[in-house]
Amino acid sequence: MNTVPDRQPAIRGVYALADTSLLAGAELMVRVDAALRGGAAVVQYRDKTTDAARRFRETQVLRALCVRHGAAFIVNDDVDLALAVGADGVHLGRDDASPALARVRLGTRALIGATCYDRLDLAPAALAAGADHVAFGRFFPSSTKPGEIYASLDLLRAARASLSCPIVCIGGIRADNAAPLLAAGADALVVGSALFGPGVDSEAAARALVALWKDI
């Protein structure tokens, strides 16, 4: 069994959401590699199917790509899979394992994110339980999170004023709407469709997003 690498890349910058509802198979790997060449700093694998063998194969390849590019590799919601492939960490939502359990399983060096939706009050509890970064959103209409309620810039500003951990924003983020999130205090921006949607040049899209950090 693999172990979580003894390294902890920063959660900052373009956070690519490799959602298998957007891409599958070899195309997933090609497009993630392109996003990494464009400067994506984090990749999260998100797959809600029950095909354990395929999920394991895909995460092995994606982890290797992230290691090659010096990026962090995160698995969505599956602590066992994150541990099995030696991912840098895991991202957890309200219906997933607790941050405390993930911390015990993955160790002190793991990156553990917790989604706090539109509620700042969830963040301190998540951090106390073992998370080291938190995510808010959705901020814009999102194809991967269509049913979630919206978070506001005021919430993001309040989070930045009260939290010392990395803050991640998620939900419908593109290069043309992301600047206000960075100005309000976001450290990382989770981007799915704007990187991996049909016809998107994933490398160019990542470069356009990375360029936003030059203005802050």
Side-chain angles (χ1 to χ4, degrees):
M1 178 178 290
N2 290 313
T3 58
V4 173
D6 187 24
R7 62 190 181 93
Q8 194 166 7
I11 294 293
R12 189 176 191 275
V14 177
Y15 186 137
L17 181 61
D19 191 320
T20 58
S21 69
L22 295 173
L23 292 171
E27 186 183 5
L28 175 69
M29 310 309 162
V30 169
R31 299 280 294 278
V32 168
D33 189 42
L36 288 164
R37 290 197 307 271
V42 185
V43 173
Q44 181 190 138
Y45 176 77
R46 184 176 189 266
D47 180 275
K48 295 299 185 180
T49 74
T50 58
D51 189 341
R54 178 182 55 77
R55 296 173 81 239
F56 183 72
R57 290 194 303 271
E58 290 179 342
T59 50
Q60 285 185 305
V61 175
L62 291 172
R63 177 183 180 256
L65 287 174
C66 288
V67 169
R68 185 185 309 162
H69 289 279
F73 179 57
I74 305 293
V75 173
N76 179 272
D77 83 26
D78 192 332
V79 175
D80 290 338
L81 181 59
L83 184 61
V85 300
D88 292 294
V90 68
H91 191 83
L92 305 170
R94 64 180 143 227
D95 299 322
D96 302 327
S98 71
L101 174 62
R103 181 59 67 195
V104 170
R105 294 291 309 284
L106 299 178
T108 59
R109 297 289 295 171
L111 296 165
I112 298 176
T115 298
C116 297
Y117 308 96
D118 67 333
R119 293 179 54 187
L120 180 56
D121 63 295
L122 295 178
L127 295 169
D132 54 75
H133 61 283
V134 295
F136 297 98
R138 59 181 174 166
F139 284 89
F140 307 104
S142 169
S143 61
T144 57
K145 290 186 173 289
E148 296 292 349
I149 56 180
Y150 288 97
S152 69
L153 287 176
D154 285 342
L155 167 70
L156 182 54
R157 293 186 189 101
R160 182 71 288 159
S162 61
L163 301 174
S164 59
C165 68
I167 295 173
V168 179
C169 292
I170 189 168
I173 297 169
R174 310 181 307 267
D176 63 358
N177 65 15
L181 301 176
L182 295 180
D187 295 293
L189 302 176
V190 176
V191 185
S193 297
L195 282 175
F196 303 124
V200 174
D201 182 330
S202 298
E203 181 174 352
R207 290 189 189 282
L209 286 156
V210 168
L212 297 172
W213 269 265
K214 296 177 183 177
D215 298 325
I216 60 172

